[in-house]
């Protein structure tokens, strides 16, 4: 399964695992893959704590950090500090939206005593707030990759990361976006199909992957969206990718922070139970359909705000999910891809990696057998 990107990053398998859980980052990297910690929900101080823990437990293995700097968002043309921008954006959030969010939670019996503070968290959804996260990450030598989940990172940020001897990756949902990444000097392009969990476009993976590979060659491409088996990794490599960028699988491992109730919700879901919704972040993101996503779609209810304003509203629901994980499934932010329909049980992270490698070998072996049979 080795590809050139394995040599570039010093890993055994071209399996990249995006996760918000530090334990999963460590487990994936120690199993031969490349763990990537999603930083958007952390303050710089909190991120420092997480990365210190990873450094202490990951051994000599590398890992990455994923940030979110969209190409378009409210307040993006401002040169204000993070605190000033937060205050300005707070004033832009209609009280109607905050009251509506509180009502959804209240109707579901979710305690909202602290929702006022939670509703106005900005965290890492802008350049002003993501830049300090990058500075923290660059203080950790084992963090060898910085990825941006939305859009091309700013030119000065790319240069700074390169000057520190690290690589830059960025996700895209179209060949034109991929071209912008490559022209800006991004080292690794992640082509994410519409089946993916979290922020995604509308083009399916099997169509998108080869288009992006052709557009940016020889820049390496990772395939994302709908990958949850070794067979699907084999398909991605067959279409020109050098590896797989995966996310959904890692909510269904023992090392994840999810509770048995949350795991059960994912195991029960079919691929049709996901929806692309703007109800949590303000941009289309794929997640489990639930009462929260449905409420924001009803005709007479408030419509989601743009990024990052909507998260400053939905933050109270995200905070409640962490505090009351078993009571908030019906209103929780559950980003997950259509591949959720393949998940039936919780496994150890190392077992998932081993299974994927075996499935990959079996898939490629079948192709060799077919080829040999055809040439006899």
């Amino acid at each position: 399964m080795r590809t050139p990107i394995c040599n570039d990053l010093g890993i055994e398998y071209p399996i990249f695992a995006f996760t918000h859980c530090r334990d999963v980052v460590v487990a994936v990297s120690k199993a031969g893959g490349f763990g990537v910690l999603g930083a958007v929900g952390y303050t710089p101080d909190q991120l420092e704590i997480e990365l210190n823990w990873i450094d202490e437990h990951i051994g000599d293995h590398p890992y990455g950090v994923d940030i979110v700097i969209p190409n378009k968002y409210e307040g993006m043309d401002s040169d204000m500090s993070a605190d000033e921008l937060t205050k300005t954006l707070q004033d832009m959030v209609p009280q109607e939206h905050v009251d509506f969010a509180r009502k959804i939670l209240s109707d579901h019996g979710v305690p909202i005593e602290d929702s006022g503070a939670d509703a106005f968290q900005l965290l890492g959804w802008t350049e002003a707030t993501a830049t300090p996260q990058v500075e923290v990450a660059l203080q950790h030598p084992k963090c060898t990759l910085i990825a941006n989940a939305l859009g091309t990172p700013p030119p000065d940020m790319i240069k700074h990361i390169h000057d520190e001897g690290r690589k830059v990756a960025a996700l895209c949902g179209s060949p034109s976006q991929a071209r912008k990444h490559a022209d800006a000097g991004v080292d690794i392009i992640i082509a994410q199909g519409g089946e993916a969990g979290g922020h995604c476009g509308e083009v399916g993976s099997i169509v998108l992957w080869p288009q992006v590979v052709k557009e940016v060659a020889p820049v390496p491409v990772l395939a994302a969206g709908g990958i949850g088996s070794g067979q699907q990794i084999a398909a991605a490599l067959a279409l020109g990718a050098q590896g797989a960028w995966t996310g959904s699988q890692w909510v269904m491992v023992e090392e994840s922070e999810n509770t048995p109730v949350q795991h059960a919700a994912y195991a029960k879901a079919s691929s049709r139970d996901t929806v692309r919704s703007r109800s949590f972040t303000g941009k289309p993101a794929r997640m489990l359909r639930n009462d929260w996503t449905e409420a924001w779609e009803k005709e007479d209810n408030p419509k989601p705000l743009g990024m990052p304003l909507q998260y400053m509203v939905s933050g109270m629901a995200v905070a409640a999910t962490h505090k009351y994980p078993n009571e908030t499934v019906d209103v929780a932010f559950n980003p997950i891809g259509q591949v959720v329909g393949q998940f039936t049980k919780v496994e150890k992270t190392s077992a998932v990696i081993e299974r994927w490698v075996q499935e990959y070998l079996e898939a490629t072996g079948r192709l060799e057998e077919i080829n040999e049979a055809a040439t006899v």
Side-chain angles (χ1 to χ4, degrees):
M1 190 187 283
R2 289 186 67 84
T3 65
I5 208 167
C6 295
N7 298 329
D8 291 342
L9 292 173
I11 56 179
E12 186 174 359
Y13 307 122
I15 298 173
F16 294 72
F18 169 82
T19 173
H20 291 287
C21 179
R22 65 188 187 183
D23 299 79
V24 178
V25 170
V26 168
V28 168
S29 289
K30 292 179 76 170
F34 192 92
V36 181
L37 183 69
V40 70
Y42 297 110
T43 67
D45 289 342
Q46 291 169 337
L47 182 60
E48 176 70 14
I49 293 171
E50 299 298 297
L51 299 189
N52 282 335
W53 189 93
I54 291 174
D55 289 343
E56 292 171 3
H57 292 82
I58 205 167
D60 295 329
H61 304 284
Y63 65 92
V65 166
D66 179 278
I67 60 171
V68 181
I69 305 179
N71 280 155
K72 294 181 180 179
Y73 58 88
E74 297 287 347
M76 66 176 295
D77 296 326
S78 170
D79 58 0
M80 292 183 286
S81 68
D83 290 341
E84 292 172 332
L85 181 58
T86 299
K87 180 61 173 65
T88 298
L89 293 174
Q90 285 177 0
D91 295 338
M92 296 173 63
V93 177
Q95 186 62 40
E96 175 192 17
H97 284 67
V98 177
D99 292 342
F100 180 59
R102 287 175 176 161
K103 184 178 186 303
I104 298 173
L105 296 180
S106 177
D107 288 348
H108 285 78
V110 178
I112 54 174
E113 64 272 13
D114 297 324
S115 64
D118 294 332
F120 293 110
Q121 293 184 31
L122 180 56
L123 300 181
W125 298 97
T126 67
E127 181 177 355
T129 49
T131 297
Q133 295 173 331
V134 172
E135 293 300 332
V136 169
L138 293 177
Q139 299 306 308
H140 296 260
K142 297 176 186 178
C143 177
T144 59
L145 176 73
I146 304 294
N148 188 33
L150 278 174
T152 307
D156 55 343
M157 181 177 288
I158 293 176
K159 182 179 185 304
H160 182 40
I161 295 170
H162 283 163
D163 288 346
E164 292 294 323
R166 323 298 171 89
K167 292 186 179 296
V168 180
L171 280 75
C172 70
S174 70
S176 61
Q177 292 173 348
R179 171 46 54 195
K180 292 177 182 178
H181 291 344
D183 289 346
V186 171
D187 303 290
I188 300 170
I189 311 297
I190 304 164
Q192 181 168 261
E195 304 97 319
H199 295 110
C200 61
E202 299 181 4
V203 180
S205 294
I206 201 169
V207 174
L208 177 67
W209 295 342
Q211 290 181 354
V212 171
V213 168
K214 180 179 180 181
E215 178 65 37
V216 302
V219 178
V221 173
L222 297 179
I227 297 178
S229 71
Q231 294 95 331
Q232 288 159 327
I233 295 175
L237 268 58
L239 291 171
Q242 285 199 28
W245 179 275
T246 60
S248 297
Q249 173 68 71
W250 311 113
V251 305
M252 288 291 284
V253 292
E254 293 180 9
E255 293 86 350
S256 74
E257 296 176 346
N258 291 325
T259 68
V261 172
Q262 292 171 309
H263 282 145
Y266 288 121
K268 179 182 177 182
S270 73
S271 297
R272 291 179 177 271
D273 291 324
T274 69
V275 62
R276 290 174 75 243
S277 172
R278 296 174 53 239
S279 62
F280 274 94
T281 73
K283 288 185 180 292
R286 187 173 295 284
M287 62 195 73
L288 283 186
R289 179 187 288 106
N290 62 17
D291 292 347
W292 177 278
T293 64
E294 293 291 283
W296 290 91
E297 292 297 324
K298 291 183 179 179
E299 184 175 351
D300 295 332
N301 290 342
K303 296 298 177 280
L305 303 169
M307 179 177 279
L309 299 180
Q310 183 63 19
Y311 187 80
M312 298 178 79
V313 173
S314 66
M316 67 178 75
V318 176
T321 300
H322 289 295
K323 192 171 183 179
Y324 310 101
N326 295 334
E327 294 82 4
T328 56
V329 171
D330 290 335
V331 292
F333 182 27
N334 297 307
I336 196 79
Q338 291 179 332
V339 74
V340 69
Q342 295 176 205
F343 303 151
T344 59
K345 62 181 181 179
V346 178
E347 302 174 84
K348 281 188 174 295
T349 294
S350 59
V352 172
I353 299 292
E354 292 172 6
R355 174 169 59 81
W356 284 4
V357 172
Q358 184 60 37
E359 290 170 346
Y360 170 87
L361 294 174
E362 292 171 357
T364 54
R366 283 194 298 272
L367 291 176
E368 292 175 359
E369 291 174 1
I370 292 171
N371 183 60
E372 291 174 359
T375 57
V376 172

